Amino acid sequence: MARLLDLLRPAMSILPEVAKPSKTIKFQEKVLWTAVALFIYLVCCQIPVYGIRNASSSDPLYWMRVILASNRGTLMELGISPVITAGLIIQLLAGAKLIEVNEESQEDQVLLNGAQKFFGLIMTIIEAVAYVSSGMYGDVRDLGLVTALLIVLQLFVAGIVCLLLDELLQKGYGLGSGISLFIATNICETIIWKSFSPSTINTGRGVEFEGAIISLFHMLITRSDKVRALKEAFYRPNLPNITNLLATILVFLIVIYFQGFRVELPLRSQRQRGNVGSYPIKLFYTSNMPIILQTALVSQLFLFSQVLYRRFGDNILISLLGRWETPQYGQSVPVGGFVYYISPPGNLNEMFADPIHALLYIAFMLGSCAFFSSIWINVSGSSSRDVANQLKSQGLILVGHRDEPKEMIKTLDKYIPIAAAFGGLCIGALTVIADFLGAIGSGTGILLAVSIIYQYFEMFAKSDFIPEYFE
């Protein structure tokens, strides 16, 4: 019986591909290529999609954009959604052994990456067609067939660009991956914009600046009562305030502090005497993957609930799933049903006003993050058995153990499953704290941004780029 990867082999020859570098890329050049990829992404985020008729209504995908690195109404409408969706599906299928992959075969690894790219392009077309047919850009009958096809084509080409930028960095031309870079950039851009935005909004109390810091100085200059101006700048509702900004900084510092928690297991080589290093097991062993999976699941549920409530709001089952309201300023928010109880309270006042909502949200976040973190180690090749096999293939064993994989697995089982579950629990707890404090960009966004930025910091720390650059 032919394997799925072998069936996809003919399609690999027509897929766009970035060639591997023929020589070693210097760190300075990697920084330059990373900056170029980021510049192209930011340009695409500012180019509007040609032909759209309606992009001003409530955004049904608002809850997903923090992890999709997308910008509504632009070429980056889809963001990294097709890439990350295809990657997760392929990884889950491979981890569950539904796709037969020989990890020691270089050819199979190439086919696996090609399959991920192929399904990424398929997902790009599916999502582009779904966006157009759902009426996000206006009624399809008003758009016309030619315009609708042109919109799909623009989103498809932008999806290919996003995919190739990610591949460019992962092939060794740049640092990290395009997915991580775009997510962190999107979140940081949101935080900076909500801190310094010069846009003005009429809130009913008068015209106010959207940016928290600009609004603070504007109120102190224009208001005669300085104490009241300070109080409003720190606690104003429905718009970013100074308390939100301080909470964001606090969560940044807490996450950075926890990034340093790890256990080092000493290793020795079977080929030479003495210790040769150590295997680090971090508290955040599965990195930001639990929160990405959890947010993707909840966001899809929110989207599904919104669409159903708009069409069948009178149905009692739909109302039990979720009831939604759109305030005068902002996006639709859940006000009842199941999705309401798994959505974060807006601030501490809402938490004390509805403690049952807060407790159910906390339980859901902690449990789901710990669960996703625990299952991810089994499907991503980072379980105790996988790590033991990887070490053995490199001729390394844990100090104090004989050359038997079972002994190493037994020792690693004391650390890896606990680090995965407890690390996921901590990630969920930090997300809850950030949401309750009203941090800008949401708790999920801040955790993603900090973990990704910390990974880049470690890359720079391991290189001699900074001291060499300033000599």
Side-chain angles (χ1 to χ4, degrees):
M1 182 178 178
R3 298 184 307 164
L4 177 60
L5 291 181
D6 293 327
L7 295 176
L8 294 175
R9 191 186 299 271
M12 302 302 168
S13 59
I14 62 173
L15 293 177
E17 183 180 7
V18 176
K20 288 185 178 181
S22 57
K23 61 179 182 178
T24 303
I25 306 296
K26 294 182 179 179
F27 192 81
Q28 292 91 331
E29 292 182 31
K30 289 185 177 182
V31 173
L32 178 61
W33 279 111
T34 304
V36 169
L38 181 58
F39 176 76
I40 295 173
Y41 164 76
L42 291 175
V43 169
C44 291
C45 283
Q46 300 304 317
I47 300 177
V49 176
Y50 174 79
I52 60 177
R53 297 286 183 86
N54 177 27
S56 59
S57 60
S58 180
D59 185 3
L61 300 175
Y62 172 77
W63 299 92
M64 300 178 65
R65 297 200 183 277
V66 68
I67 64 168
L68 299 184
S70 64
N71 194 10
R72 190 181 186 197
T74 68
L75 293 179
M76 279 297 152
E77 177 77 75
L78 302 181
I80 61 170
S81 175
V83 180
I84 199 172
T85 302
L88 288 174
I89 291 174
I90 294 297
Q91 288 291 339
L92 288 172
L93 292 176
K97 309 302 181 185
L98 296 177
I99 294 180
E100 185 181 344
V101 182
N102 183 0
E103 296 183 0
E104 298 179 359
S105 171
Q106 185 67 26
E107 183 183 6
D108 273 19
Q109 292 300 320
V110 172
L111 287 174
L112 186 65
N113 292 334
Q116 180 174 327
K117 187 189 301 183
F118 177 76
F119 282 109
L121 295 178
I122 297 298
M123 288 301 303
T124 301
I125 296 175
I126 293 175
E127 291 189 15
V129 172
Y131 274 44
V132 174
S133 60
S134 66
M136 282 189 62
Y137 303 127
D139 195 303
V140 178
R141 291 169 295 184
D142 296 333
L143 291 174
L145 179 61
V146 175
T147 303
L149 291 176
L150 184 59
I151 293 174
V152 171
L153 179 62
Q154 292 176 80
L155 296 179
F156 178 67
V157 172
I160 294 177
V161 171
C162 186
L163 188 148
L164 291 178
L165 290 176
D166 179 58
E167 186 177 2
L168 176 74
L169 300 187
Q170 295 205 45
K171 282 287 182 72
Y173 289 96
L175 301 173
S177 70
I179 291 176
S180 297
L181 179 66
F182 301 154
I183 288 177
T185 301
N186 193 44
I187 296 166
C188 291
E189 181 185 4
T190 299
I191 294 173
I192 292 174
W193 178 258
K194 290 189 176 182
S195 300
F196 299 99
S197 170
S199 299
T200 56
I201 298 175
N202 189 348
T203 61
R205 303 185 301 271
V207 176
E208 297 182 16
F209 285 98
E210 182 182 7
I213 293 178
I214 292 183
S215 178
L216 168 66
F217 286 104
H218 176 257
M219 290 181 181
L220 288 176
I221 293 172
T222 58
R223 304 285 176 87
S224 57
D225 189 343
K226 305 302 180 185
V227 175
R228 185 175 180 181
L230 276 175
K231 184 177 180 181
E232 188 168 345
F234 270 79
Y235 302 108
R236 63 176 183 168
N238 301 325
L239 286 174
N241 56 51
I242 299 300
T243 303
N244 300 145
L245 184 59
L246 294 176
T248 304
I249 297 173
L250 175 63
V251 174
F252 258 89
L253 296 176
I254 292 174
V255 176
I256 291 172
Y257 175 73
F258 276 105
Q259 288 283 356
F261 281 51
R262 67 181 68 193
V263 174
E264 303 276 353
L265 299 181
L267 300 172
R268 65 181 177 86
S269 175
Q270 295 175 302
R271 305 184 182 96
Q272 60 187 21
R273 294 183 178 180
N275 295 357
V276 296
S278 60
Y279 183 80
I281 300 177
K282 297 182 179 181
L283 173 62
F284 296 153
Y285 183 71
T286 52
S287 187
N288 50 30
M289 190 52 64
I291 199 66
I292 289 179
L293 293 173
Q294 191 271 346
T295 305
L297 173 66
V298 172
S299 299
Q300 293 285 0
L301 184 59
F302 281 14
L303 172 62
F304 183 64
S305 174
Q306 282 188 74
V307 173
L308 289 178
Y309 187 73
R310 286 180 181 178
R311 293 182 176 272
F312 313 105
D314 296 333
N315 189 295
I316 186 171
L317 294 178
I318 302 301
S319 297
L320 287 175
L321 177 62
R323 291 184 287 109
W324 295 79
E325 286 184 1
T326 303
Q328 185 177 359
Y329 305 101
Q331 301 294 332
S332 297
V333 293
V335 294
F338 176 71
V339 296
Y340 168 73
Y341 289 102
I342 63 173
S343 63
N347 48 49
L348 290 175
N349 292 333
E350 291 187 16
M351 182 184 75
F352 290 119
D354 192 350
I356 295 178
H357 175 199
L359 291 174
L360 289 177
Y361 170 69
I362 292 172
F364 172 75
M365 283 298 302
L366 298 184
S368 59
C369 285
F371 172 74
F372 281 123
S373 184
S374 297
I375 66 170
W376 184 250
I377 62 174
N378 295 317
V379 301
S380 63
S382 55
S383 66
S384 302
R385 183 177 298 277
D386 295 319
V387 171
N389 291 334
Q390 292 168 13
L391 294 176
K392 184 174 176 59
S393 66
Q394 298 171 16
L396 300 173
I397 59 175
L398 296 175
V399 172
H401 293 75
R402 291 176 295 175
D403 184 17
E404 293 185 10
K406 289 184 178 180
E407 285 198 12
M408 281 203 295
I409 293 173
K410 187 176 180 181
T411 301
L412 291 170
D413 275 338
K414 296 178 181 178
Y415 299 96
I416 290 180
I418 295 175
F422 187 67
L425 198 71
C426 290
I427 288 175
L430 289 170
T431 303
V432 169
I433 292 172
D435 285 330
F436 283 171
L437 293 177
I440 297 174
S442 80
T444 300
I446 293 174
L447 281 172
L448 288 172
V450 174
S451 59
I452 293 169
I453 292 172
Y454 191 82
Q455 290 172 7
Y456 276 96
F457 169 76
E458 289 183 327
M459 293 179 195
F460 277 85
K462 290 177 182 178
S463 72
D464 57 354
F465 171 71
I466 296 178
E468 179 181 329
Y469 184 80
F470 286 104
E471 282 180 357

